[in-house]
Each structure stands twice: as structure tokens, then as C-alpha cells.
Amino acid sequence: MADTIDRFRSSTRGWLLGTLAGWGTLALTLGGLLVSFYFQAQGMMTGAAWLGPVALVTGLVLIALRWLANIGTGYEVTADRLVLRQGIIAKSIDEIELYRIKNVRIDFTILNQMVDIGTLTIGSSDETTATGPLVMRDIPRARARREALRERVNAARQARGVREIDLAEDRV
């Protein structure tokens, strides 16, 4: 296999700090922690005091699930392929030939921009994306990675002598 040029995965920290869902999860976790400490300090763990620990545990479980999902999916860029590795126990590897990539789209919110993450969407003529585009969420340095990927796609096309021709119906 060709040498890896770039290797990355979704960022849990980026998700926490760069999305509303992440901010909500942090608020739930920290709120649960503060409420738990307050009721513990008051010495009264009765009534609604159980809500603090429940909120804390719920927030921690959400963070852990996001972290596991991010650890279980990795991306590699080589000179001629984009490799998608998924799974922790049962693993699968998909590859998209770079010359088959038609479109690399980036989406990001204002929060995403503050922590430099984004969502990369890959459209290609490869079987891997037959059911829909490959969506890579919460990718660190997404703008730079998109540009680098576009350059590699063009280089792979030139190396293979591939030209893309779109056949579209005439619209009246």
C-alpha cells in the first residue's frame, strides 16, 4: 500500500467546543456536577437532589459514546486513495480511488470556525459512495484538508490521464 500522506479522525474536543450539541452536553455535565456538589454540601440528598448525579452521568455517557465513535473511525489519504477504517472490535476498510472523487464539499458553522473543525462531504463515482456521499464530521483543519485533498485528486487524475465528462440533459 502507498505511504500515508495524512491520517485523521473526527475530533471529540472539536465536537464539544464547536457544536451546539457539544455545548449542550458540556452544560448538562457541568450543571449536573455543580448540582451534585451543592446538594452534597448541604447534606441533603433527598427529593430532586438525584437530578444532579443523573445529569452528570448522562453527560459523561454522551461524551464517552461520541469519543468511542470517533476512535472507531479513521481516515487516511495516500497518493492515490482515501481510506476509511471503521470499527473497534469488528473492523472494515473502504477505499475510494482519488481519481474517482467528483466533489469535496465543506460545511461549517460559526462555532465550527472558532475551533477550526468542519464537515467534509465526498461525492464520487466509487462503489463506496453508491448509496450516498461519504460524510466526515468534526474534522480538524477541515479547510486545509479539503484543499490538500483537491490537489491530490487533480494529481491522481493527471497521473492516470483521467478526464471527467458530465453528461447532462438539456433543460428547457
Side-chain angles (χ1 to χ4, degrees):
M1 183 174 254
D3 292 332
T4 300
I5 296 170
D6 190 12
R7 180 176 286 147
F8 56 94
R9 64 185 44 178
S10 296
S11 168
T12 305
R13 179 181 175 274
W15 174 76
L16 283 169
L17 299 176
T19 65
L20 289 176
W23 278 87
T25 302
L26 281 175
L28 180 70
T29 306
L30 294 175
L33 184 65
L34 291 174
V35 169
S36 297
F37 278 144
Y38 173 78
F39 282 117
Q40 186 68 31
Q42 297 298 321
M44 48 183 206
M45 290 303 287
T46 60
W50 61 272
L51 288 174
V54 168
L56 174 63
V57 169
T58 301
L60 291 174
V61 166
L62 289 172
I63 293 169
L65 289 174
R66 176 57 76 151
W67 179 78
L68 280 173
N70 291 345
I71 288 297
T73 303
Y75 309 98
E76 275 181 34
V77 178
T78 68
D80 55 352
R81 292 185 183 113
L82 172 63
V83 181
L84 166 64
R85 299 176 188 272
Q86 292 181 306
I88 294 175
I89 297 171
K91 296 186 178 239
S92 69
I93 299 173
D94 278 325
E95 297 177 350
I96 299 175
E97 296 286 339
L98 290 182
Y99 74 90
R100 291 180 173 267
I101 292 178
K102 294 179 174 277
N103 186 30
V104 181
R105 178 180 163 167
I106 185 169
D107 295 300
F108 44 86
T109 66
I110 195 158
L111 283 176
N112 293 158
Q113 292 175 58
M114 289 178 4
V115 294
D116 197 21
I117 64 170
T119 299
L120 294 176
T121 304
I122 308 291
S124 80
S125 60
D126 196 88
E127 273 302 307
T128 302
T129 59
T131 59
L134 172 63
V135 179
M136 301 181 286
R137 298 185 191 289
D138 307 319
I139 301 299
R141 298 185 1 252
R143 283 178 267 204
R145 285 201 162 102
R146 175 185 179 263
E147 278 307 308
L149 187 57
R150 284 184 72 252
E151 290 171 8
R152 287 184 186 33
V153 166
N154 288 332
R157 284 184 177 172
Q158 288 176 356
R160 288 184 176 248
V162 173
R163 297 198 189 275
E164 182 179 334
I165 299 172
D166 287 330
L167 300 174
E169 294 180 28
D170 289 336
R171 294 182 185 168
V172 179

